[in-house]
Structures are given as structure tokens and as C-alpha cells.
Amino acid sequence: MATATTSAAPTLIGSVRRALRLLESAGAHPNGAPAKQLAREAGLPLPTAYHLLRTLTHEGYLRREKGVFFLGDAVERLVSGAGPRLGRARRTMAESMEHCRDVIGAPVYFAIYREGEIEVVAIADSPAAPAVAEWADFRETAHAHAIGQCLLSQLDEDARRDHLDRHPVAPLTPFSVADRRTLLSRLGAMGRTGPVFERQEYALGQVCAAVPIRAGATIAALATSVPLHQEEKLLPAVERLCKEIGNMIGSLEFSISI
């Protein structure tokens, strides 16, 4: 006697499917899309879409700016395989830097020296306090900006010379350090704990400063910048930055480890 075989239909959760449709729609709009457009594309009633969008935003899978929705950091973590702890730590670092930016009224940069290269890990800026545009690769022009000079000043002489062998000194502006010998002399005269200032050496119309940070054996720096016509704001910003470092050090140290 033949036995009939049946395969049960899978149990599908409707709200999950609807949320995924919204994420797919949001992913198709790199410049963001409003709720009404996402609801229409996902084939959902607007009230349902609003509830799901609110939940997805709360969980970090979407972010909302000026009335439109973008894919959030949680989607990136899914793709990269990063876990919740890493995501929380990155948010903490970003929040710390944004708080510092708001306190000092200027952009904040966090950079480390890793495996022989300058690495700008994070930048917190805003339309009111824009960062310096990276018009020449930061990694190759350490000699010309405050971040790079600060990190190089913390290296021993052999490591410093090795870096300059790989990334030779070449002036970027009329105010840049002229040659390797001059740069090495300047770096040798710098202390390893005080801020490093740079005036129009990397970008015309910009003045910058960087503060060294040591986290174990890792060399790092926090930096800030202001337009040349606001140069009088740089020193107070650096002084406040130094005061804020103690509050930020935990999140910065974790970011170094990743």
C-alpha cells in the first residue's frame, strides 16, 4: 500500500517579511526615501509601514535624517559579521566624538599608527564644523598635517625613518615642511605628550592641532581643526579637547583593538 507524503508549508511570520521588504526598498535608495515612498514600494499600508520603520530605526537597521530613511549601521554589521558588542562599542566611540565635537565647537579626528601606516579611524564633524577635505591621501602625507606629525613624533628614530623612506617628504603648500632633514629636526624637538600644531601645511586656509594618546603599545592621536580666519579658536579648542580625553579613552581604546 503506497503511503502518501505531504510536505507542510513553512510557517512564515508576516511582520518579518514586511520589515524585510522595507529594508530592501530603503537599500535601493542610497540618498534616502520618505516613509510614503517606502510603504508604496513595499506594498504596505502607511500605518503599518510607520510602525515597522520606527522599530527598524530603534534597532539601528534604519536611520532617519530630515524625514527620509537610510540603511543603518546594524545592516553593515550583518554584512561584515560584526557582533552586537562591537556595534555598541562603535556607537559609543561615535557618540563620544560627537559630544566632544559639540563641546569644543570644531571637528574631531581620531587616528592611530598601525602596521607602519597612518589610519584615520573616525571623524566627527557637522555642517557648522566641517572637517578638512582629504585632498591628498592622509597616509602618504603624514609630514604635512598635525595628525601625522603627532603620530610620527611618538615613534622611535628607526620607525620614523622607515616611514619617511616609504612616504617621502614632498611639500603640499607653500607652508609645508620643505624637506626630510627639516622634518626630522622638528619631530626630534617635539615632546611626546604635548599638542602638535600645524598652520596651512596640509590645506590652505586651515589650521590644525593634534594631541597624542598612548593606549598600551599603540600610538594614537585626537585632533581638531578650524578655518584660518578663526585661528584664535584653535588653542581653546585644543585645551578643551585635552580635558575631554579622559572621558573618551575607554571607547577609543576599544576602537584600537578592532
Side-chain angles (χ1 to χ4, degrees):
M1 181 177 176
T3 302
T5 60
T6 60
S7 57
T11 300
L12 303 178
I13 308 300
S15 59
V16 174
R17 299 179 71 186
R18 290 190 286 271
L20 290 173
R21 297 294 83 78
L22 285 172
L23 286 174
E24 290 171 351
S25 295
H29 299 282
N31 296 320
K36 288 183 179 180
Q37 182 176 357
L38 295 178
R40 183 174 63 252
E41 293 177 356
L44 299 177
L46 189 57
T48 300
Y50 272 130
H51 286 303
L52 292 171
L53 290 170
R54 189 180 301 115
T55 301
L56 290 167
T57 301
H58 180 268
E59 296 298 323
Y61 291 94
L62 292 174
R63 58 185 174 88
R64 185 180 183 186
E65 294 181 9
K66 299 180 180 179
V68 297
F69 292 88
F70 305 80
L71 292 181
D73 292 340
V75 173
E76 181 182 347
R77 295 199 301 274
L78 283 177
V79 174
S80 65
R85 180 168 176 262
L86 177 57
R88 285 193 298 272
R90 284 177 171 166
R91 287 197 298 273
T92 299
M93 182 183 73
E95 290 166 359
S96 296
M97 291 188 61
E98 289 166 0
H99 169 75
C100 188
R101 172 204 64 201
D102 294 340
V103 167
I104 71 174
V108 178
Y109 314 76
F110 175 51
I112 62 175
Y113 195 80
R114 177 153 45 193
E115 297 179 357
E117 298 294 346
I118 304 290
E119 182 178 337
V120 178
V121 177
I123 299 174
D125 66 347
S126 69
V132 176
E134 185 180 357
W135 71 274
D137 193 329
F138 279 141
R139 294 170 298 177
E140 298 178 1
T141 57
H143 60 279
H145 49 72
I147 290 173
Q149 292 179 27
C150 184
L151 295 175
L152 292 178
S153 71
Q154 297 178 69
L155 300 178
D156 62 39
E157 187 172 340
D158 289 340
R160 195 178 295 159
R161 291 180 181 278
D162 172 72
H163 182 94
L164 297 177
D165 285 342
R166 291 180 288 109
H167 302 296
V169 175
L172 300 183
T173 77
F175 302 94
S176 300
V177 64
D179 53 55
R180 176 183 175 124
R181 177 179 296 181
T182 303
L183 176 66
L184 287 172
S185 176
R186 178 192 294 185
L187 295 175
M190 289 180 183
R192 295 192 177 189
T193 58
V196 174
F197 293 89
E198 167 261 302
R199 190 174 190 272
Q200 299 194 93
E201 294 184 43
Y202 176 80
L204 293 175
Q206 296 287 337
V207 290
C208 310
V211 180
I213 298 174
R214 292 304 290 261
T218 302
I219 294 172
L222 272 175
T224 188
S225 62
V226 297
L228 181 63
H229 68 273
Q230 297 178 352
E231 187 172 8
E232 72 282 356
K233 296 182 179 180
L234 185 60
L235 184 56
V238 171
E239 291 173 344
R240 190 60 187 267
L241 183 64
C242 291
K243 293 179 181 178
E244 292 292 324
I245 286 176
N247 297 327
M248 301 173 64
I249 196 66
S251 58
L252 296 179
E253 285 180 344
F254 190 90
S255 71
I256 291 172
S257 69
I258 58 177

